[in-house]
Amino acid sequence: MTASALPPVALQAVELRVLHLPLVAPFTTSFGTETVREVIVVRARTADGDGWGEIVTQHAPLYSSEYTHGAWDVAQRFLVPALLERGTPASGLLRPEAVAGVLEPFVGHRMVKAGLELAVLDASLRAAGRSLAAHLGAVHETIPSGVSVGIQRDPAALVDVVRGYLDEGYVRIKIKIKPGRDVADTAAVRAAFGDIPLQVDANSAYTLADADTLAELDRFGLLLIEQPLQEDDIVDHATLARRLRTPVCLDESITSLKAARDALALNAASVVNIKAGRVGGYLEAVRIHDLCREAGVPVWCGGMLETGIGRAANAALAALPGFTLPGDVSASNRFYARDIVTEPIVLEDGRVRVPTGVGIGVEIDAAALDEATIERVELRR
Ligand code: OSB
Ligand code: MG
């Protein structure tokens, strides 16, 4: 479904930076609490200019097997050298659509592949004077904005935090749950705010043995329950889905187009969370969108606490026609006091604007980027 072909780039160097960005408030999930976002920013240096990408790993391998310093190593040792070798005039210029194929022999590390592909894509789009949104097939100028709310001290504190986001205008609330912090938390939010669009995310914290507890959530009329079981529990998710009225949505399990196809074939999910990092790139994300749209399965755009780079790209992706549920594309200030782009995404009447500028549509704030950088390396061909 992507638009016309993009120009290849002559990749001259790749700069990688590890950033530490303080969060405005701690973010707690079933797998832990973060107070500082540790993330990698990619700059692809080409003969025609720079392109930017973001590797959305976290400090520790708790959401998935990927983590920042593993990404840092595999990028420098294998993935960036493979791209640099391919991007020389001698071996041919590098097309954005070719990046995934060049990196394909290296197993896994999809967040790294996604960040590298985005940087090449951005460079090529800028050279062509085109926006990522238009290239991916966006059909909306703005998108509805949901917010992902971490586990709080107790249900009363959760209600206070949710109230703040509703007051700001967010149109859909997602709360994180874990065993012991599920039914009472959900009940408290429903009791306080009535029939708001509400969903829960378990980040793999349950097993099939918890099916009775999870079925208690049925009475709250949730939009969906996200990833109750483990990443590789496709069949168990199908079994659980038969026991719940709440629609089951998969996040961690959907690692590729193939995984999405399998999950749909097995009725393991009736909704899909699409995250470009998790599936190896924005181009694969579009393919999953296309598959789900064809199958009549609603999708929404997930988030990984992106900086302004990935957040802009997510807004572009979420503007595709199959994204029929509000995503976790919230305003930058939901996580950061100071973003690394000059015009961070803001909330306007519960929506965020899809960037229309060339490439990812945002410019880097060099001073903010430098301030957040704790490690930097440049690989040249
Ligand atoms: O499961 O969706 C998730 C953040 C980090 C890792 C996993 C998840 C999340 C979120 C935050 O829920 C989404 C966001 O970026 O707003
Ligand atoms: Mg999730």
Side-chain angles (χ1 to χ4, degrees), residues 365-376:
D365 177 339
L369 179 67
D370 283 345
E371 188 186 278
T373 301
I374 63 154
E375 275 180 275
R376 179 186 169 280

Side-chain angles (χ1 to χ4, degrees), residues 174 176 201 203 226 251-252 273 275:
K174 153 172 146 182
K176 294 289 189 177
D201 186 0
N203 286 112
E226 184 179 348
D251 172 357
E252 284 87 330
N273 166 327
K275 288 180 183 171

Side-chain angles (χ1 to χ4, degrees), residues 192-249:
F193 308 112
D195 199 20
I196 59 166
L198 180 65
Q199 62 195 52
V200 297
D201 186 0
N203 286 112
S204 303
Y206 297 88
T207 73
L208 261 191
D210 300 308
D212 288 342
T213 304
L214 295 173
E216 286 183 53
L217 296 172
D218 279 347
R219 70 175 190 268
F220 300 115
L222 301 172
L223 290 167
L224 56 90
I225 178 170
E226 184 179 348
Q227 196 72 37
L229 313 178
Q230 298 288 296
E231 179 176 319
D232 58 1
D233 283 342
I234 301 296
V235 171
D236 281 358
H237 273 110
T239 303
L240 179 65
R242 285 193 299 273
R243 296 193 44 190
L244 303 182
R245 273 206 314 276
T246 308
V248 170
C249 170

Side-chain angles (χ1 to χ4, degrees), residues 12 43 88 95 97 111-112 145 211 219 252-253 280 329 339:
Q12 297 173 329
R43 183 191 335 211
T88 62
R95 290 183 312 110
E97 296 82 1
M111 292 178 185
V112 187
S145 181
R219 70 175 190 268
E252 284 87 330
S253 295
V329 189
D339 205 328

